[in-house]
């Protein structure tokens, strides 16, 4: 990407400023804040090089000078009809917005809308579907949902004649009122009423109203009437309503329409990202989007959400940071150096709470208790009633092994925001530590409901069911986690272990080999084919070590399959990881069995020549197994050597001493 000129910067600033105001006018505060931060991250004119003003290669180069935009307080509308309606509604609009700002959502909606919109849960098929409920009649409750005829004409527009700005504010207030009422009806976290039966009952009315409104405007356009064009905001709200009703495909189409009208509205991009379940789906959608800065940010963010590894996301990130060099959002996308970046962000903006829960997760994994304590104090001093703050404090108590207090703070985070993903997942971890498997399963299930791409929740479900010895269920959840994050060896190790406990040894070996391949990917930074289940030649190359525990499990599986020679080779490879594979290369010259097939030889060469793991309990068990193997096959010299090494490393010493006495007795008896 070519460097930005001063004209490019002024053009971007002129585009982003109205978006901030438009989002704020419609009470989309998170989108307004995100866009305002992006706006402030643009370089100042003094930061640009003098030669960049005439850079003809800039993608946003404009031959005509762009005047500096004037400060915006209230946006105007280029559509004469909409502008006329907005001017007539200005007093009511200001009143409605003041009600919304005070969280009086029903009063806000009542300023513009009649109170006759239908209410009830929305179905997955259409916003026209309703369910009839009669609390006083058990017979009526048993009736099936009444669905509208798909071939029937769309409902008539029940809405009064309003500008799109006023209509959005009123319908959005209806939506927020339904969400607020749903949280009130849910009562306590994980309580009897906190489940899927509690829904936003305003969705049906909003969906029908918008469907009728769009149908009316479509008919007017067909008849040639100048009824204005969509602005993207109502399309966004309709997409959100459809997504809540599990009508994902239709929701994607409407969100894309919204993005075409308002490409800098980050809220629409976020909703679209949550509906994308895989890389192939992301590639299909990206082909329908206009290629601009927001599309690149969206592709980067969604790739990170899908746990995509490789050079492409980092190259995109570097290009975007050249445009927005001070963007804190882009800085938080650097996962590999996240700890140092978060530390610098706290110094730059110590009052920023966004994403601090991710930073606390990093410090928790690093077991950095002093920094985590400081972060908890800092977040609490800034705003103790933010869900991010509660998660930071919960992580601190979890690191201190005070799991009851940790659960209390995670529940507090969910009381503030029931869709806060980190709190559900972390609370599930705490319940596992407390041996409360029922609550752990429910927490993980709620995390999956919030975001089906969260591999941690799927993995947690697998762990919990494995504790309950329900291996079939555990295997299902482990496989879901592995499909979401195929480059993580931990996922495949869990799948392989589960297969082994179920007695499916061949599948266990395949999964454990995938774990080895994934481990070599992480240690060398290279890529590998997702369908390759065989151990690659030189799989630990580039200085990386293979995981001894995984190798040992493969050897044990082959032993149970009665493939003893293959089991021995994997035990040798396990032992070779102590010194990075150099032992394997030295022993190969002394090996008396040189007729191994090519595939097995490739396995033996896979040590890689790294620094080595040193003596571990796993390598000691492999050494003991090999010593007994050599003893049983007449290799007394090698058996004595291995048993003597076991006596020196302090692991399984007594068994090793007994084995040394047995070997020496046989050698003295003339067996060697």
């Amino acid at each position: 990407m070519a460097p930005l000129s001063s004209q490019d910067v002024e053009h971007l600033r002129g585009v982003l400023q109205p978006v901030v105001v438009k989002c704020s006018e419609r009470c989309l505060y998170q989108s307004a804040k995100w866009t305002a931060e992006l706006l402030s991250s643009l370089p100042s004119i003094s930061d640009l090089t003098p030669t960049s003003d005439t850079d003809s290669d800039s993608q946003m180069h404009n031959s005509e000078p762009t005047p500096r935009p004037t400060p915006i307080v209230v946006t105007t509308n280029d559509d004469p009809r909409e502008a006329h309606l907005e001017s007539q509604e200005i007093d009511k609009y200001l009143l409605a917005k003041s009600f919304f700002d005070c969280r009086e959502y029903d009063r806000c909606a009542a300023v513009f809308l009649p109170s006759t919109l239908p209410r009830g849960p929305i179905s997955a098929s259409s916003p026209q579907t309703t369910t009839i409920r009669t609390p006083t009649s058990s017979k009526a409750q048993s009736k099936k949902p009444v669905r509208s005829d798909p071939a029937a004409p769309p409902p008539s527009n029940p809405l009064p004649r309003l500008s799109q700005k006023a209509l959005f504010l009123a319908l959005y207030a209806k939506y927020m009122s339904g969400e607020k009422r749903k949280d009130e009806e849910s009562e306590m976290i994980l309580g009897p009423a906190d489940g899927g039966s509690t829904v936003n009952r305003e969705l049906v009315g909003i969906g029908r109203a918008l469907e009728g409104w769009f149908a009316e405007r479509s008919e007017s356009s067909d008849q040639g009437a100048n009824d204005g064009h969509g602005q993207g905001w109502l399309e966004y709200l309709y997409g959100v309503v459809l997504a809540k009703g599990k009508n994902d495909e239709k929701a994607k189409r409407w969100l894309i329409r919204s993005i075409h009208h308002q490409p800098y509205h980050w809220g629409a991009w976020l909703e679209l990202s949550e509906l994308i379940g895989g890389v192939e789906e992301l590639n299909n959608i990206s082909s329908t989007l206009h290629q601009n800065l927001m599309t690149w940010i969206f592709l980067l963010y969604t790739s990170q959400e899908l746990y995509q590894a490789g050079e492409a996301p980092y190259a995109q990130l570097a290009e975007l940071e050249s445009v927005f060099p001070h963007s804190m959002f882009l800085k938080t996308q650097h996962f590999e150096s996240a700890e140092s970046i978060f530390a610098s962000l706290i110094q730059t903006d110590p009052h920023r709470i966004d994403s601090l829960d991710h930073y606390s997760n990093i410090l928790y994994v690093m077991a950095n208790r002093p920094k985590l304590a400081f972060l908890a104090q800092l977040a609490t001093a800034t705003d103790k009633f933010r869900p991010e703050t509660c998660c930071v404090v919960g992580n601190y108590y979890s690191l201190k092994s005070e799991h009851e207090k940790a659960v209390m703070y995670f529940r507090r985070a969910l009381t503030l925001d029931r869709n806060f993903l980190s709190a559900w997942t972390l609370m599930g971890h705490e319940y596992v530590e407390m041996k409360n498997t029922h609550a752990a399963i429910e927490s993980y299930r709620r995390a999956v409901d919030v975001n089906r791409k969260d591999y941690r929740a799927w993995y947690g479900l697998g762990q919990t069911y494995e504790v309950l010895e329900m291996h079939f269920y555990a295997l299902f959840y482990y496989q879901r986690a592995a499909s979401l994050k195929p480059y993580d060896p931990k996922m495949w190790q869990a799948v392989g272990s589960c297969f082994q406990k179920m007695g499916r040894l061949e599948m266990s070996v395949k999964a454990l080999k995938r774990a080895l391949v994934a481990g070599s990917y992480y240690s060398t930074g290279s890529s590998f084919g997702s369908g390759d289940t065989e151990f690659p030649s030189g799989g630990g190359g580039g200085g990386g070590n293979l995981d001894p525990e995984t190798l040992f499990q493969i050897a044990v599986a082959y032993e149970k399959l009665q493939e003893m020679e293959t089991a021995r080779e994997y035990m040798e490879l396990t032992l070779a990881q102590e010194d990075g594979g150099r032992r394997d290369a030295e022993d190969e010259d002394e090996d008396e069995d040189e007729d191994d097939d090519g595939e097995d030889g490739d396995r033996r060469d896979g040590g890689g020549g790294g620094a080595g793991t040193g003596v571990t309990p796993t390598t000691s068990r492999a050494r003991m197994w090999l010593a007994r193997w050599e003893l049983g096959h007449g290799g007394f010299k090698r058996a004595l050597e291995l048993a003597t090494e076991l006596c020196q490393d302090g692991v399984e010493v007594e068994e090793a001493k007994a084995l040394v006495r047995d070997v020496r007795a046989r050698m003295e008896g003339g067996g060697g």
Side-chain angles (χ1 to χ4, degrees):
M1 181 183 293
L4 292 179
S5 67
S6 60
Q7 291 180 356
D8 295 337
V9 173
E10 291 303 322
H11 176 78
L12 268 177
R13 188 170 282 114
V15 169
L16 292 174
Q17 279 185 357
V19 174
V20 176
V21 180
K22 287 178 180 177
C23 289
S24 181
E25 287 176 344
R26 290 158 180 83
C27 302
L28 300 172
Y29 298 123
Q30 293 298 326
S31 295
K33 182 178 74 171
W34 187 91
T35 310
E37 288 183 351
L38 198 67
L39 174 64
S40 66
S41 70
L42 284 170
S44 62
I45 301 300
S46 59
D47 294 337
L48 300 174
T49 58
T51 57
S52 63
D53 286 338
T54 58
D55 187 1
S56 59
D57 293 334
S58 173
Q59 295 185 3
M60 303 181 64
H61 178 72
N62 191 346
S63 58
E64 297 180 1
T66 304
R68 187 176 182 85
T70 57
I72 298 172
V73 179
V74 178
T75 57
T76 58
N77 204 308
D78 296 332
D79 187 338
R81 175 182 175 279
E82 290 290 327
H84 177 68
L85 289 173
E86 288 178 10
S87 65
Q88 290 181 328
E89 300 163 349
I90 183 64
D91 294 338
K92 285 187 174 182
Y93 167 78
L94 293 175
L95 175 64
K97 189 175 185 306
S98 66
F99 288 150
F100 194 103
D101 292 341
C102 294
R103 298 187 179 182
E104 299 181 32
Y105 302 123
D106 288 324
R107 293 186 72 188
C108 173
V111 172
F112 291 112
L113 295 181
S115 58
T116 57
L117 292 179
R119 294 173 62 186
I122 193 167
S123 77
S125 59
S126 170
Q128 301 180 41
T129 303
T130 59
T131 301
I132 297 177
R133 297 178 183 269
T134 309
T136 59
S137 171
S138 59
K139 184 176 181 180
Q141 286 181 349
S142 63
K143 290 183 179 180
K144 295 181 179 179
V146 178
R147 299 181 182 274
S148 60
D149 183 5
S156 59
N157 181 13
L159 301 171
R161 186 179 178 85
L162 297 171
S163 68
Q164 294 187 45
K165 181 196 291 188
L167 181 58
F168 177 88
L169 181 61
L171 291 176
Y172 188 52
K174 279 276 188 187
Y175 172 80
M176 292 300 296
S177 174
E179 289 292 301
K180 179 182 177 183
R181 196 169 290 110
K182 182 184 75 171
D183 289 344
E184 291 170 352
E185 292 174 357
S186 298
E187 299 177 354
M188 63 180 294
I189 302 297
L190 295 182
D194 184 21
S197 59
T198 309
V199 296
N200 185 342
R201 299 187 178 278
E202 301 292 345
L203 294 179
V204 165
I206 299 171
R208 284 187 173 181
L210 286 173
E211 189 169 4
W213 189 86
F214 285 122
E216 182 181 78
R217 292 180 69 85
S218 178
E219 291 176 3
S220 300
S221 300
D222 293 341
Q223 295 171 5
N226 184 16
D227 213 16
H229 301 285
Q231 299 174 358
W233 306 103
L234 291 172
E235 289 84 351
Y236 159 72
L237 183 58
Y238 192 37
V240 171
V241 170
L242 290 168
K244 287 286 185 179
K246 308 299 182 185
N247 196 343
D248 292 351
E249 292 304 317
K250 195 172 181 181
K252 290 174 194 173
R253 293 197 297 271
W254 281 95
L255 288 171
I256 291 173
R257 288 180 63 174
S258 171
I259 286 167
H260 287 163
H261 288 294
Q262 295 292 337
Y264 288 90
H265 177 207
W266 180 240
W269 291 105
L270 275 181
E271 292 290 340
L272 182 60
S273 176
E274 290 179 3
L275 296 175
I276 295 176
V279 180
E280 183 178 354
E281 190 177 353
L282 175 62
N283 294 334
N284 293 335
I285 286 181
S286 64
S287 63
T288 65
L289 301 172
H290 301 310
Q291 298 303 308
N292 52 36
L293 286 173
M294 291 300 295
T295 303
W296 297 339
I297 294 176
F298 163 74
L299 293 176
L300 169 67
Y301 175 81
T302 309
S303 296
Q304 301 279 36
E305 286 292 298
L306 294 172
Y307 311 107
Q308 291 304 297
E311 297 298 327
Y314 295 102
Q316 288 180 343
L317 183 57
E319 290 187 357
L320 288 169
E321 286 186 314
S322 67
V323 179
F324 303 103
H326 309 299
S327 171
M328 294 186 179
F329 170 79
L330 293 178
K331 291 182 185 298
T332 58
Q333 302 303 304
H334 285 279
F335 291 159
E336 291 190 352
S337 54
E339 196 278 330
S340 59
I341 289 174
F342 271 114
S344 64
L345 285 178
I346 287 178
Q347 294 179 353
T348 305
D349 188 356
H351 303 295
R352 185 178 190 268
I353 301 294
D354 297 340
S355 302
L356 279 191
D357 54 312
H358 300 314
Y359 185 30
S360 70
N361 291 338
I362 295 169
L363 296 177
Y364 181 91
V365 172
M366 296 171 62
N368 195 333
R369 186 168 157 183
K371 272 193 176 181
L372 188 54
F374 168 75
L375 186 66
Q377 291 177 345
L378 181 66
T380 303
T382 303
D383 189 349
K384 67 190 305 181
F385 295 110
R386 281 279 295 271
E388 293 90 342
T389 301
C390 296
C391 280
V392 172
V393 179
N395 271 333
Y396 170 71
Y397 282 117
S398 178
L399 192 58
K400 291 178 64 180
S401 298
E402 298 183 24
H403 302 297
E404 291 82 2
K405 280 190 175 181
V407 166
M408 181 184 71
Y409 276 95
F410 293 140
R411 292 173 73 96
R412 183 178 296 178
L414 292 167
T415 303
L416 295 167
D417 182 2
R418 287 180 184 265
N419 291 324
F420 199 71
L421 175 64
S422 294
W424 284 117
T425 306
L426 294 172
M427 189 165 69
H429 296 342
E430 296 308 306
Y431 279 128
V432 169
E433 294 292 334
M434 296 165 63
K435 311 301 182 186
N436 189 343
T437 54
H438 176 75
I441 288 172
E442 188 60 29
S443 299
Y444 288 135
R445 288 192 187 281
R446 295 295 295 274
V448 168
D449 289 340
V450 174
N451 183 1
R452 300 188 69 82
K453 299 191 291 288
D454 183 20
Y455 78 95
R456 299 171 304 166
W458 292 108
Y459 185 82
L461 280 169
Q463 280 187 313
T464 310
Y465 277 109
E466 192 171 20
V467 169
L468 296 173
E469 297 186 357
M470 301 173 69
H471 301 301
F472 184 81
Y473 288 93
L475 176 62
F476 171 78
Y477 293 119
Y478 280 145
Q479 287 176 326
R480 291 297 298 267
S483 67
L484 287 168
K485 201 171 183 187
Y487 303 124
D488 192 339
K490 186 178 179 182
M491 305 296 114
W492 294 108
Q493 288 168 358
V495 172
S497 175
C498 212
F499 272 128
Q500 205 166 64
K501 291 174 182 177
M502 295 170 65
R504 300 170 63 180
L505 299 176
E506 295 86 353
M507 298 300 296
S508 174
V509 168
K510 289 183 179 180
L512 291 171
K513 287 181 179 178
R514 284 290 297 268
L516 287 178
V517 176
S520 67
Y521 173 87
Y522 268 129
S523 61
T524 63
S526 61
S527 60
F528 60 93
S530 60
D532 183 11
T533 58
E534 289 299 320
F535 186 79
S537 177
N545 292 315
L546 302 176
D547 180 39
E549 182 63 33
T550 306
L551 291 168
F552 186 82
Q553 289 184 25
I554 295 175
V556 170
Y558 275 122
E559 182 183 17
K560 293 178 180 178
L561 289 169
Q562 300 301 314
E563 299 183 25
M564 304 304 295
E565 186 61 30
T566 307
R568 182 191 66 80
E569 290 166 359
Y570 272 97
M571 288 294 184
E572 293 280 8
L573 193 53
T574 304
L575 190 59
Q577 302 313 304
E578 289 184 345
D579 52 7
R582 289 188 295 273
R583 173 192 298 272
D584 192 54
E586 293 168 0
D587 291 346
E588 208 170 85
D589 296 334
E590 303 174 3
D591 194 356
E592 297 176 0
D593 300 324
E594 295 292 343
D595 56 348
D596 296 334
D597 55 27
E599 181 183 352
D600 295 338
D602 286 342
R603 293 193 188 100
R604 292 184 56 117
D605 292 338
T613 63
V615 177
T616 67
T618 301
T619 59
S620 294
R621 291 201 303 271
R623 183 178 277 107
M624 176 63 74
W625 191 96
L626 287 169
R628 288 171 175 162
W629 165 273
E630 295 291 348
L631 179 62
H633 289 75
F636 299 127
K637 182 178 179 182
R638 177 86 194 285
L640 181 61
E641 177 187 344
L642 292 169
T644 304
E645 290 175 355
L646 275 171
C647 295
Q648 296 172 355
D649 61 27
V651 179
E652 300 183 5
V653 175
E654 295 303 321
E655 289 187 44
K657 289 181 178 179
L659 187 60
V660 168
R661 290 193 294 269
D662 191 7
V663 172
R664 286 177 176 170
R666 294 197 186 190
M667 293 177 69
E668 291 171 359

